[in-house]
Amino acid sequence: QTCALPIFRGHGNDKEDYLALRCSDTYHHYHYDENSICLYAYGQPLTLDGCARSGYGQDPYYKSVRTFMHNTIVFDRRDQIFAEGMGRNPADPQILDFKDNDIFSYAVGDASRVAEVKKFHRHVYYVKAGRYLVIYDEIECGEQKPEFILHMLAADIRAGNNTIRCTGSDGLHCD
């Protein structure tokens, strides 16, 4: 059984959490956004695609499909590729594993081929009771430089030694 777009969901009230991990062979989507995430926490948008904003120059459609406009990783500041035969190759972007139970949800996506690296696996763990999320990126990219892209709706951002803390206008933190 395949899973194209796992959506993690927690709590059954108006302060719901949702997380979507995009990594699939749905090649008619035409965005270079494999292994990207979007997160709503406590009923509020926390991370959204950068293309949800406006004012990006002459061709907003072109900019909206680019890899850096999504919450994923770029390598050497290059867009992901749209490979010939996409949707029919076993190496295409795909969800390798998905688990869901009362305690946690887990998925891992493989975007190695479109990122043109040896390995780009994104592991996402959502622990329901504690309402926390862990994203672990497993990367083998040789000399290529990976950059973690995260578009957040933040009122304040503070960077430290290998850490970043974003605070939303409602006081919600993302560390």
Side-chain angles (χ1 to χ4, degrees), residues 104-118:
F104 71 94
S105 296
Y106 166 79
V108 58
D110 179 0
S112 305
R113 180 178 183 217
V114 294
E116 298 183 292
V117 295
K118 185 174 181 180

Side-chain angles (χ1 to χ4, degrees), residues 13-84:
N13 57 40
D14 63 343
K15 299 295 182 186
E16 199 88 65
D17 299 334
Y18 294 94
L19 176 111
L21 171 63
R22 163 95 173 95
C23 190
S24 67
D25 65 356
T26 54
Y27 62 99
H28 293 295
H29 175 66
Y30 297 118
H31 282 224
Y32 306 105
D33 61 350
E34 304 304 337
N35 273 351
S36 67
I37 61 164
C38 287
L39 172 65
Y40 277 69
Y42 295 90
Q44 299 292 319
L46 190 58
T47 67
L48 298 171
D49 287 346
C51 56
R53 299 178 292 178
S54 61
Y56 280 102
Q58 302 278 332
D59 188 355
Y61 172 76
Y62 175 69
K63 288 196 176 202
S64 73
V65 303
R66 308 256 336 254
T67 305
F68 74 88
M69 296 301 287
H70 298 86
N71 300 310
T72 187
I73 293 180
V74 296
F75 296 89
D76 285 342
R77 298 193 175 208
R78 288 179 296 108
D79 281 320
Q80 294 174 352
I81 63 165
F82 182 77
E84 185 65 34

